């Protein structure tokens, strides 16, 4: 497996990561969540991520109108120019207008008994009881280190803690002029444990797609496996590093990957 301690240019001996396009963006319904088995009730919803595509001043509105001294060049009496506030002769105050596209993100955990759920933060499970989807935005999960292991919300009757592992990352890229860049990095232990990553450090997800990244089931170096935490070990050192997703709105390229 490739990690931060490998020589530059080394190729992986086997595939540990998997990225699959499940369909177009509309394949995800934000009102009903993911249509997949195994999720705990109300926990199959992705978090909304609003991305500003373009900021423009309100004064831009109407700039394409002709200014040739014709009747259309002058406003009617007592009427302000387009993009202005106040009456004739008043001081112009520009306001910004944002064009926003909505993506969706979900960090999915799965325990040893196959129970799945989406997390809305390092210490919180998504739980939607009514229509409309989750209210929490994706900002917290995108700006935080997400734990690789967390206590399962369905512990059962045993006294021993039962952990769920970060298994998948769902991303809905809207049909809009933007790209989402995926840079997964996982540190499965406290230092000097290395940081694991796929062969391609940055993966571009083109517009209009529902994608799922499967994380490795186990992390192995030349010295052997990185074992899961024991009962009394802190979980904070086992993490997926923040910055795993970022958006780019500059001239998105044609789709490089085919649907699988």
């Amino acid at each position: 497996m490739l990690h931060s301690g490998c020589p530059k240019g080394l190729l992986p001996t086997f595939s540990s990561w998997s990225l699959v396009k499940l369909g177009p963006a509309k394949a995800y319904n934000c009102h009903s969540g993911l249509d997949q088995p195994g999720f705990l009730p109300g926990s199959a919803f992705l978090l909304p991520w609003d991305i500003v595509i373009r900021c423009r001043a309100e004064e831009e509105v109407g700039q394409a109108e002709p200014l040739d001294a014709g009747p259309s060049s002058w406003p009617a009496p007592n009427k302000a120019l387009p993009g202005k506030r106040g009456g004739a002769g008043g001081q112009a105050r520009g306001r910004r207008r944002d064009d926003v596209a909505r993506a969706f993100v979900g960090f999915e955990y799965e325990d040893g008994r196959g129970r799945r759920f989406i997390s809305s933060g390092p210490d919180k499970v998504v739980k939607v009881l009514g229509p409309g989807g989750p209210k929490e935005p994706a900002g917290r999960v995108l700006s935080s280190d997400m734990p690789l292991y967390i206590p399962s919300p369905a512990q059962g009757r045993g006294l021993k803690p039962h952990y769920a592992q970060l298994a998948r990352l769902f991303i809905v890229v809207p049909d809009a002029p933007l790209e989402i860049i995926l840079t997964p990095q996982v540190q499965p232990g406290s230092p000097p444990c290395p940081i694991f990553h796929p062969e391609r450090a940055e993966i571009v997800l083109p517009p209009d797609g529902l994608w799922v990244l499967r994380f490795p089931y186990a992390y192995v170096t030349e010295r052997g496996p990185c074992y899961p935490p024991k009962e009394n070990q802190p979980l904070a050192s086992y993490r997926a590093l923040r910055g795993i997703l970022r958006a780019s709105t500059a001239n998105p390229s044609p789709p490089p990957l085919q649907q699988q």
Side-chain angles (χ1 to χ4, degrees):
M1 299 179 67
L2 296 184
H3 55 77
S4 55
C6 291
K8 188 175 181 180
L10 183 68
L11 297 178
T13 56
F14 54 87
S15 178
S16 303
W17 307 74
S18 175
L19 178 65
V20 177
K21 184 178 181 181
L22 301 180
K26 64 181 181 181
Y28 174 71
N29 188 332
C30 62
H31 299 289
S32 57
L34 294 169
D35 184 18
Q36 295 187 6
F39 278 94
L40 298 177
S43 65
F45 291 86
L46 308 182
L47 304 177
W49 179 20
D50 289 338
I51 302 170
V52 177
I53 299 177
R54 181 187 180 218
C55 291
R56 54 177 177 167
E58 210 174 54
E59 282 81 354
E60 293 183 20
V61 179
Q63 281 187 352
E65 296 178 0
L67 296 176
D68 55 0
S72 61
S73 302
W74 299 94
N78 300 321
K79 183 177 180 182
L81 288 168
K84 307 291 183 180
R85 297 185 61 186
Q91 184 178 3
R93 293 179 59 190
R95 293 185 298 175
R96 302 195 70 83
R97 183 177 295 173
D98 296 341
D99 294 331
V100 178
R102 172 159 289 187
F104 292 89
V105 177
F107 286 83
E108 184 213 323
Y109 290 80
E110 183 175 351
D111 66 14
R113 295 167 184 163
R115 290 172 294 201
R116 308 165 64 187
F117 56 90
I118 302 294
S119 178
S120 59
D123 54 358
K124 191 175 180 181
V125 176
V126 169
K127 191 171 185 180
V128 178
L129 301 178
K135 306 303 180 184
E136 304 97 331
R140 187 183 180 199
V141 297
L142 294 177
S143 60
S144 304
D145 292 338
M146 291 298 289
L148 187 58
Y149 302 95
I150 60 176
S152 175
Q155 286 291 328
R157 298 180 179 179
L159 298 178
K160 187 177 180 180
H162 190 58
Y163 294 125
Q165 181 176 342
L166 179 60
R168 300 168 192 88
L169 172 62
F170 289 90
I171 312 108
V172 177
V173 186
D175 186 8
L178 61 84
E179 297 171 336
I180 291 182
I181 295 91
L182 177 64
T183 56
Q185 299 183 83
V186 175
Q187 187 175 30
S190 56
C193 181
I195 297 173
F196 289 79
H197 55 82
E199 179 183 352
R200 293 168 59 183
E202 292 189 349
I203 304 168
V204 176
L205 304 181
D208 192 19
L210 168 58
W211 299 83
V212 57
L213 171 72
R214 179 183 59 76
F215 289 88
Y217 296 116
Y219 298 86
V220 182
T221 68
E222 299 78 9
R223 300 181 179 180
C226 302
Y227 291 102
K230 297 181 180 179
E231 183 175 346
N232 297 323
Q233 285 184 291
L235 301 180
S237 299
Y238 302 78
R239 56 187 180 152
L241 303 186
R242 71 189 69 184
I244 192 170
L245 293 174
R246 73 177 189 274
S248 172
T249 59
N251 299 323
S253 58
L257 301 175
Q258 299 295 324
Q259 182 174 345
Q260 299 183 21

